[in-house]
Amino acid sequence: MDLSNSNIWCWILIILIGIVGFIVGYFIGKSKSASTPGGSDAVHKLEAENTKLKADLEASRKNTQSPKSSSQSESKTSKGKASGEKEFDADEAKAAMGKRIKKDDLKIVEGIGPKIEGLFHASGIKTWKALSKISTDKCQEILSSAGDRYRIHDPASWPMQAKMAHQGEWSALAKWQDDHKSGKF
Protein backbone atom coordinates (compact mmCIF):
# COMPACT_ATOMS: atom_id res chain seq x y z
CA MET A 1 0.00 0.00 0.00
CA ASP A 2 1.30 3.39 -0.93
CA LEU A 3 1.84 5.79 2.03
CA SER A 4 0.64 8.90 0.21
CA ASN A 5 -2.58 7.15 -0.81
CA SER A 6 -3.45 6.43 2.85
CA ASN A 7 -2.88 10.10 3.77
CA ILE A 8 -5.49 11.17 1.26
CA TRP A 9 -8.05 8.82 2.80
CA CYS A 10 -7.28 10.21 6.27
CA TRP A 11 -7.94 13.75 5.07
CA ILE A 12 -11.14 12.72 3.31
CA LEU A 13 -12.32 10.95 6.47
CA ILE A 14 -11.59 14.05 8.60
CA ILE A 15 -13.46 16.33 6.16
CA LEU A 16 -16.49 13.99 6.03
CA ILE A 17 -16.65 13.84 9.84
CA GLY A 18 -16.51 17.63 9.96
CA ILE A 19 -19.32 18.01 7.41
CA VAL A 20 -21.52 15.47 9.19
CA GLY A 21 -20.84 17.18 12.53
CA PHE A 22 -21.76 20.58 11.06
CA ILE A 23 -25.04 19.27 9.63
CA VAL A 24 -26.02 17.51 12.86
CA GLY A 25 -25.15 20.61 14.91
CA TYR A 26 -27.14 22.83 12.59
CA PHE A 27 -30.29 20.73 12.95
CA ILE A 28 -29.91 20.41 16.72
CA GLY A 29 -29.57 24.18 17.03
CA LYS A 30 -32.52 24.75 14.75
CA SER A 31 -34.76 22.42 16.75
CA LYS A 32 -33.78 24.06 20.06
CA SER A 33 -34.55 27.60 18.83
CA ALA A 34 -38.02 26.54 17.67
CA SER A 35 -38.87 25.04 21.06
CA THR A 36 -37.56 27.89 23.26
CA PRO A 37 -39.76 30.80 24.38
CA GLY A 38 -37.88 33.11 22.02
CA GLY A 39 -38.46 30.74 19.10
CA SER A 40 -40.52 31.16 15.98
CA ASP A 41 -43.88 31.00 17.80
CA ALA A 42 -42.94 34.06 19.84
CA VAL A 43 -41.70 35.81 16.71
CA HIS A 44 -45.00 35.15 14.92
CA LYS A 45 -46.92 36.40 17.96
CA LEU A 46 -44.83 39.59 18.08
CA GLU A 47 -45.21 40.13 14.33
CA ALA A 48 -48.99 39.77 14.64
CA GLU A 49 -49.06 42.20 17.57
CA ASN A 50 -46.85 44.61 15.64
CA THR A 51 -49.25 44.49 12.67
CA LYS A 52 -52.18 45.17 15.00
CA LEU A 53 -50.35 48.09 16.62
CA LYS A 54 -49.53 49.58 13.23
CA ALA A 55 -53.21 49.36 12.25
CA ASP A 56 -54.22 50.99 15.57
CA LEU A 57 -51.65 53.72 15.06
CA GLU A 58 -52.83 54.37 11.51
CA ALA A 59 -56.44 54.59 12.70
CA SER A 60 -55.37 57.01 15.41
CA ARG A 61 -53.50 59.13 12.87
CA LYS A 62 -56.56 59.26 10.64
CA ASN A 63 -58.68 60.38 13.60
CA THR A 64 -56.26 63.18 14.48
CA GLN A 65 -55.85 64.31 10.87
CA SER A 66 -59.48 64.14 9.79
CA PRO A 67 -61.10 67.56 9.55
CA LYS A 68 -63.64 68.20 12.28
CA SER A 69 -67.14 69.02 11.25
CA SER A 70 -68.24 72.56 11.94
CA SER A 71 -70.70 71.37 14.56
CA GLN A 72 -67.88 69.60 16.45
CA SER A 73 -65.57 72.58 16.42
CA GLU A 74 -68.34 74.95 17.47
CA SER A 75 -69.79 72.81 20.25
CA LYS A 76 -68.30 73.79 23.59
CA THR A 77 -68.69 72.46 27.06
CA SER A 78 -69.69 74.71 29.91
CA LYS A 79 -66.03 75.39 30.69
CA GLY A 80 -65.28 76.55 27.14
CA LYS A 81 -63.44 73.42 26.01
CA ALA A 82 -64.10 71.84 22.63
CA SER A 83 -65.91 68.51 22.71
CA GLY A 84 -63.49 65.64 23.25
CA GLU A 85 -61.37 67.77 25.56
CA LYS A 86 -61.66 67.42 29.30
CA GLU A 87 -60.40 69.65 32.03
CA PHE A 88 -57.27 68.09 33.55
CA ASP A 89 -58.17 66.12 36.66
CA ALA A 90 -55.05 65.23 38.65
CA ASP A 91 -56.96 62.89 40.96
CA GLU A 92 -58.42 60.90 38.08
CA ALA A 93 -55.00 60.72 36.44
CA LYS A 94 -53.37 59.53 39.67
CA ALA A 95 -56.05 56.90 40.20
CA ALA A 96 -55.56 55.44 36.72
CA MET A 97 -51.79 55.82 36.38
CA GLY A 98 -50.82 55.00 39.96
CA LYS A 99 -48.71 58.12 40.42
CA ARG A 100 -49.11 61.88 40.56
CA ILE A 101 -49.35 63.48 37.14
CA LYS A 102 -48.62 67.11 36.34
CA LYS A 103 -50.57 68.74 33.55
CA ASP A 104 -48.73 68.58 30.22
CA ASP A 105 -45.86 66.50 31.62
CA LEU A 106 -44.54 64.87 28.45
CA LYS A 107 -42.71 62.26 30.52
CA ILE A 108 -46.04 60.48 31.10
CA VAL A 109 -45.69 59.23 27.51
CA GLU A 110 -43.98 55.82 27.44
CA GLY A 111 -40.49 56.35 25.99
CA ILE A 112 -40.08 60.02 26.88
CA GLY A 113 -37.71 60.86 29.71
CA PRO A 114 -36.40 64.19 31.04
CA LYS A 115 -33.82 64.67 28.27
CA ILE A 116 -36.24 63.91 25.45
CA GLU A 117 -38.85 66.13 27.09
CA GLY A 118 -36.24 68.91 27.04
CA LEU A 119 -35.67 68.34 23.32
CA PHE A 120 -39.39 68.65 22.64
CA HIS A 121 -39.69 71.75 24.83
CA ALA A 122 -36.79 73.33 22.92
CA SER A 123 -38.68 72.57 19.70
CA GLY A 124 -41.81 74.31 20.99
CA ILE A 125 -43.70 71.11 21.88
CA LYS A 126 -44.65 71.75 25.51
CA THR A 127 -48.13 70.28 25.91
CA TRP A 128 -49.88 66.96 25.38
CA LYS A 129 -52.09 68.66 22.83
CA ALA A 130 -49.11 69.93 20.84
CA LEU A 131 -47.43 66.52 20.91
CA SER A 132 -50.67 64.81 19.85
CA LYS A 133 -50.86 66.99 16.75
CA ILE A 134 -47.37 66.38 15.35
CA SER A 135 -46.41 63.47 13.13
CA THR A 136 -44.15 60.60 14.02
CA ASP A 137 -41.75 61.90 11.37
CA LYS A 138 -41.54 65.26 13.18
CA CYS A 139 -40.86 63.41 16.47
CA GLN A 140 -38.09 61.45 14.77
CA GLU A 141 -36.69 64.66 13.27
CA ILE A 142 -36.49 66.23 16.75
CA LEU A 143 -34.72 63.12 18.08
CA SER A 144 -32.32 62.93 15.13
CA SER A 145 -31.36 66.58 15.53
CA ALA A 146 -30.06 65.75 19.02
CA GLY A 147 -27.56 63.15 17.80
CA ASP A 148 -27.08 59.45 17.31
CA ARG A 149 -27.85 58.43 20.88
CA TYR A 150 -31.51 59.36 20.42
CA ARG A 151 -31.99 57.34 17.21
CA ILE A 152 -32.76 54.18 19.17
CA HIS A 153 -36.06 55.62 20.39
CA ASP A 154 -39.25 54.80 18.50
CA PRO A 155 -41.72 57.70 18.70
CA ALA A 156 -44.42 55.96 16.65
CA SER A 157 -46.93 55.89 19.52
CA TRP A 158 -46.02 59.17 21.23
CA PRO A 159 -48.64 61.37 19.52
CA MET A 160 -51.33 58.75 20.24
CA GLN A 161 -50.36 58.53 23.92
CA ALA A 162 -50.24 62.31 24.20
CA LYS A 163 -53.72 62.50 22.68
CA MET A 164 -55.07 60.08 25.30
CA ALA A 165 -53.47 62.18 28.06
CA HIS A 166 -54.79 65.41 26.57
CA GLN A 167 -58.30 64.01 26.34
CA GLY A 168 -58.15 62.65 29.87
CA GLU A 169 -58.43 59.01 28.79
CA TRP A 170 -56.28 57.89 31.72
CA SER A 171 -57.59 54.34 32.02
CA ALA A 172 -57.02 53.71 28.31
CA LEU A 173 -53.52 55.20 28.50
CA ALA A 174 -52.62 53.14 31.57
CA LYS A 175 -53.87 49.94 29.91
CA TRP A 176 -52.00 50.70 26.69
CA GLN A 177 -48.79 51.38 28.58
CA ASP A 178 -49.16 48.22 30.68
CA ASP A 179 -49.60 46.17 27.50
CA HIS A 180 -46.64 47.83 25.76
CA LYS A 181 -44.12 48.44 28.53
CA SER A 182 -40.88 49.45 26.78
CA GLY A 183 -42.14 47.85 23.59
CA LYS A 184 -42.20 44.39 25.22
CA PHE A 185 -45.22 42.15 25.52
Side-chain angles (χ1 to χ4, degrees), residues 58-72:
E58 189 61 35
S60 176
R61 282 185 183 151
K62 287 180 182 177
N63 287 342
T64 59
Q65 293 176 354
S66 64
K68 294 182 178 179
S69 66
S70 60
S71 63
Q72 266 187 326

Side-chain angles (χ1 to χ4, degrees), residues 4-164:
S4 65
N5 205 11
S6 67
N7 282 340
I8 292 174
W9 287 109
C10 287
W11 284 109
I12 291 174
L13 183 62
I14 291 171
I15 291 171
L16 286 175
I17 290 172
I19 291 172
V20 169
F22 174 78
I23 292 170
V24 169
Y26 173 79
F27 285 113
I28 289 172
K30 190 103 167 130
S31 68
K32 282 186 179 180
S33 69
S35 64
T36 59
S40 62
D41 291 339
V43 170
H44 291 300
K45 180 182 175 189
L46 290 174
E47 286 174 347
E49 186 66 26
N50 189 25
T51 303
K52 180 184 175 294
L53 288 173
K54 285 181 180 179
D56 290 347
L57 183 59
E58 189 61 35
S60 176
R61 282 185 183 151
K62 287 180 182 177
N63 287 342
T64 59
Q65 293 176 354
S66 64
K68 294 182 178 179
S69 66
S70 60
S71 63
Q72 266 187 326
S73 60
E74 291 175 11
S75 69
K76 303 282 181 179
T77 62
S78 61
K79 294 189 177 193
K81 296 278 183 183
S83 64
E85 291 182 31
K86 287 174 55 177
E87 188 70 30
F88 175 68
D89 184 348
D91 294 330
E92 181 184 351
K94 182 179 180 181
M97 301 299 288
K99 60 183 177 182
R100 265 184 0 151
I101 306 294
K102 292 181 183 177
K103 183 175 173 52
D104 292 321
D105 180 7
L106 299 183
K107 295 183 299 292
I108 193 66
V109 172
E110 180 73 33
I112 295 182
K115 291 183 180 181
I116 293 177
E117 181 183 46
L119 294 174
F120 278 87
H121 283 181
S123 297
I125 311 297
K126 298 180 180 183
T127 65
W128 296 322
K129 183 176 184 177
L131 180 57
S132 73
K133 293 189 180 284
I134 65 172
S135 69
T136 302
D137 292 336
K138 178 65 177 171
C139 291
Q140 192 64 56
E141 183 181 307
I142 292 169
L143 291 173
S144 296
S145 71
D148 289 341
R149 65 187 264 187
Y150 294 99
R151 291 179 196 255
I152 63 168
H153 298 281
D154 182 9
S157 67
W158 295 357
M160 176 193 62
Q161 292 181 65
K163 182 179 180 184
M164 285 190 263

